[in-house]
Amino acid sequence: MNPLSAPLGLARALNGSSRRLVLCRSAGLGNRSPVRVAAARMSTQGETATVLEPPQQTWEAAHANNPAFAVARELPPPKSHKREIGIFVVVAAVTWGLGSVIAFNYQRMTSTPVTAALFTARHNEGVREAFGGQLSFTSAFPWISGDISHLKGVVDVEFDVVGSKEVRGHLVLKSRRITSNQNGEWKTIEFYVETPEGHRIDCS
């Protein structure tokens, strides 16, 4: 059989009267979905044109045996992460700031000037009469206001205290280094414990 006979016969058939070609089913596995095909009129006066419309894919058609689903479906819009990133930056900044404040306060609480001032006030006779023995911080993590800088030669702190009589007071310590040497002499400017009535007990 001549291999050119089939195409020639098909060409003769198409060059005859007008015909309509309809594709009824699309290739694939499982349930076959109908595909609408625009009819193309076959005539001897013009060229044949066949227009295929893409199938309407549904989410039920999403399976591994239907590669046309990945091609025909519309891609979802890209998700923006600006809100999540903004929240993360704010939380990180707040956490870092709070951690820094706690760390500096703990450094002041355990510093030599604060512990020495508390020890000296605890053994002061006037403080013992007003507050009782065992003068200490009002909590396990008290807030120490002020600044301690050995480099600048400045100690300026104050914090709340409480004694065995459950009387609360306020300790104030202000001292300056009077020499340029970091290991030089210090001068106490103010050092007292204030009672709830406003009376200041000198501890210097």
Side-chain angles (χ1 to χ4, degrees):
M1 180 178 179
N2 189 355
L4 299 177
S5 59
L8 291 176
L10 178 60
R12 295 190 189 95
L14 293 177
N15 289 331
S17 59
S18 299
R19 299 179 183 275
R20 185 179 302 273
L21 177 63
V22 178
L23 181 60
C24 296
R25 292 186 179 273
S26 63
L29 300 176
N31 296 330
R32 301 176 181 273
S33 59
V35 180
R36 295 189 300 273
V37 181
R41 182 173 298 276
M42 319 295 285
S43 64
T44 57
Q45 298 178 355
E47 297 181 354
T48 302
T50 304
V51 180
L52 297 178
E53 296 182 2
Q56 299 296 324
Q57 300 288 346
T58 60
W59 286 104
E60 289 76 8
H63 50 78
N65 294 328
N66 185 15
F69 176 81
V71 177
R73 71 184 181 91
E74 296 183 358
L75 295 177
K79 186 178 180 181
S80 177
H81 297 280
K82 292 183 179 180
R83 185 171 181 270
E84 290 80 356
I85 295 175
I87 294 175
F88 173 78
V89 171
V90 172
V91 172
V94 172
T95 303
W96 180 85
L98 184 60
S100 300
V101 171
I102 295 175
F104 284 121
N105 184 73
Y106 181 79
Q107 184 179 12
R108 290 191 297 267
M109 183 184 71
T110 58
S111 65
T112 301
V114 172
T115 55
L118 190 60
F119 177 82
T120 304
R122 185 181 297 133
H123 293 84
N124 183 278
E125 291 297 332
V127 174
R128 292 176 67 89
E129 291 178 2
F131 297 92
Q134 301 300 322
L135 189 72
S136 61
F137 297 119
T138 56
S139 63
F141 297 98
W143 177 253
I144 310 298
S145 302
D147 182 28
I148 298 176
S149 175
H150 294 283
L151 182 62
K152 298 178 180 179
V154 175
V155 173
D156 187 358
V157 293
E158 53 183 281
F159 51 92
D160 294 332
V161 292
V162 63
S164 58
K165 293 183 179 181
E166 299 298 329
V167 178
R168 289 176 175 264
H170 192 71
L171 189 149
V172 176
L173 173 63
K174 294 182 180 181
S175 180
R176 299 290 185 273
R177 188 175 59 235
I178 59 178
T179 59
S180 59
N181 187 5
Q182 292 189 4
N183 297 324
E185 184 181 356
W186 288 74
K187 179 181 180 180
T188 301
I189 299 175
E190 287 184 339
F191 182 23
Y192 62 87
V193 178
E194 186 176 359
T195 63
E197 294 79 16
H199 176 63
R200 296 182 177 182
I201 304 173
D202 186 34
C203 300
S204 58

